[in-house]
């Protein structure tokens, strides 16, 4: 069986903020600790996912720019498509 480890987190906050958190915890049927941990975990995972998405988007942009800056030889399908386009434009 895997051993679960725990860490401790303490925070000092203004009384009015604590009161709002306490009220929200009570409404949701959770302890203040459960409420704070769940909210912090949800926000942390959201931030990590957004950061990863932004990194991926930048990486994809670099790949696209590199791909577009390379010289290429059109394949047979592209050549046929170009010929069909020219024929269509001639008919107009």
């Amino acid at each position: 069986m895997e051993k679960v480890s725990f860490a401790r987190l303490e925070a000092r906050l203004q009384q009015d903020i604590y009161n709002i958190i306490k009220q929200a915890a009570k409404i949701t049927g959770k302890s203040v600790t459960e409420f704070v941990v769940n909210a912090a975990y949800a926000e942390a995972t959201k931030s990590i996912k957004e950061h990863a998405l932004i990194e991926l988007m930048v990486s994809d942009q670099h790949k696209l720019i590199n791909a577009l800056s390379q010289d290429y030889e059109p394949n047979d399908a592209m050549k046929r498509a170009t010929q069909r386009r020219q024929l269509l434009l001639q008919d107009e």
Side-chain angles (χ1 to χ4, degrees):
M1 178 179 262
E2 186 177 329
K3 183 179 179 182
V4 177
S5 62
F6 293 93
R8 184 167 187 84
L9 174 66
E10 293 185 35
R12 293 195 179 271
L13 51 136
Q14 296 174 357
Q15 187 65 45
D16 58 336
I17 294 172
Y18 175 78
N19 290 340
I20 290 172
I21 293 170
K22 186 176 175 180
Q23 182 180 4
K26 185 176 181 180
I27 290 169
T28 59
K30 298 176 182 172
S31 69
V32 171
T33 300
E34 287 176 307
F35 184 84
V36 169
V37 168
N38 288 340
Y41 180 77
E43 189 64 27
T45 55
K46 177 183 166 193
S47 296
I48 291 168
K49 287 177 184 176
E50 288 174 358
H51 179 74
L53 180 61
I54 291 169
E55 281 187 340
L56 181 61
M57 289 170 37
V58 170
S59 171
D60 289 343
Q61 288 174 3
H62 288 296
K63 289 177 184 175
L64 178 61
I65 290 168
N66 287 338
L68 292 175
S69 65
Q70 301 294 320
D71 290 334
Y72 72 96
E73 181 67 31
N75 62 17
D76 291 338
M78 181 61 87
K79 291 175 184 176
R80 287 191 305 272
T82 302
Q83 290 171 350
R84 283 194 306 271
R85 180 180 179 275
Q86 288 173 346
L87 290 173
L88 288 171
L89 292 176
Q90 288 174 0
D91 291 342
E92 291 182 357

